[in-house]
Amino acid sequence: MIDFQKKQSAGHMTSRAARLFARVIERKLKLIGMAPGQLPVFYELANGAQLTQKALTIAAAVEQPTMAATLARMERDGLVSRQPDPSDGRSSLFGLTPAALQQSPLIKEAIHAGNREALAGFSAEEERALLAMLSRIIANLDSKTTTPNSG
């Protein structure tokens, strides 16, 4: 019999933490009528950027049909608008609507509240160290994986 030590597995612990983070943030976002799957779009477009569906798909590291469905829901709900891409007539550029931009402070607070809940008792130095380590993990794994849309 193999003895799995799940608390000694970085993969298991990271995955478990990510699922719990997602639940906490999902609960907080639900109160303002938003889904966690929409966060990558908000992150990419929050500063007034306009991006193609393909660029958003790559940035969010999701499959193209997933992003298409997310953007369709967000467009239906008045959170994103689409306009023709002047550099490529076959694609569209997506941007946040004024209504979505008005929600930005609520979304930001929901994310911060989830982070505060998860990192309760951590010092500022511990938070910085955790973020630095997670960034290294992401860089290590990102360089070894490709999605169908990234290359």
Side-chain angles (χ1 to χ4, degrees), residues 114-131:
N115 283 318
R116 283 193 306 270
E117 192 173 316
L119 300 175
F122 279 60
S123 70
E125 184 178 321
E126 289 171 323
E127 285 184 41
R128 281 191 300 276
L130 175 62
L131 291 172

Side-chain angles (χ1 to χ4, degrees), residues 52 84-91 93:
T52 63
D85 183 347
S87 66
D88 180 357
R90 297 169 297 157
S91 63
L93 292 174

